[in-house]
Amino acid sequence: MTSRAAAPVVGVALLLLVGVGLGGVVAVSAEAVVSATGGPPATATSAAGASETVGLSLTLDDDTVSLTHEAGPALELAAVELVVTVDGVPLRYQPPVPFFAASGFRAGPTGPFNVASDDSWSISETGSFRLAATNAPRLAPGRTVSVTVLVGNERVGRVRGVVD
């Protein structure tokens, strides 16, 4: 037997190894998306009635919670509800959407959360609100904040972050 006959076998083995390795990278990437969003990508129903994925990101800064609509259909604010928890405990006062002055929050939320917005939350728009001292639990370094976004009674997104 010559050494050249082994070359195709080695080539096939290397090709299989590369394929399995790439499959592992895709699986790890999918797990990272699930971990970052707190579950599999959720769906929202567009105006046409089709389900589409909604991507959200969360930024926490002192007493400010900011949510950015990253991907998916625009959300009609009249149907949006936000549920905020700190270390698994729901805030005493949940942010109404949209609002200007509400119990448990400092006046003047930004973006689509403000009553002066255009009544929809579109891709790349960031909405933020600030917790007042009358709301509890307080945001503090090391605490985990979770924000669930509902449209009607259906969860369309959930993001989590740790306060720095």
Side-chain angles (χ1 to χ4, degrees):
M1 186 159 113
T2 66
S3 62
R4 283 191 280 170
V9 173
V10 171
V12 169
L14 285 173
L15 192 56
L16 284 172
L17 193 60
V18 168
V20 169
L22 287 175
V25 168
V26 170
V28 169
S29 296
E31 179 62 28
V33 168
V34 169
S35 296
T37 62
T43 60
T45 304
S46 68
S51 290
E52 298 182 45
T53 300
V54 174
L56 302 166
S57 63
L58 173 68
T59 304
L60 303 166
D61 185 26
D62 295 324
D63 62 353
T64 303
V65 176
S66 300
L67 288 168
T68 301
H69 187 301
E70 301 288 353
L75 302 176
E76 293 180 36
L77 291 172
V80 170
E81 179 182 350
L82 301 178
V83 178
V84 182
T85 64
V86 179
D87 290 337
V89 178
L91 288 177
R92 179 181 306 143
Y93 303 104
Q94 295 294 327
V97 177
F99 74 99
F100 183 77
S103 294
F105 299 91
R106 294 184 184 191
T110 66
F113 301 158
N114 191 294
V115 293
S117 71
D118 65 2
D119 297 328
S120 71
W121 188 10
S122 303
I123 293 175
S124 78
E125 285 187 314
T126 299
S128 68
F129 53 86
R130 295 173 55 202
L131 276 68
T134 57
N135 213 340
R138 300 291 300 147
L139 300 185
R143 290 193 152 178
T144 300
V145 176
S146 175
V147 181
T148 302
V149 179
L150 303 165
V151 173
N153 290 323
E154 183 179 344
R155 184 179 102 177
V156 297
R158 187 167 116 199
V159 289
R160 285 185 229 158
V162 177
V163 180
D164 287 334

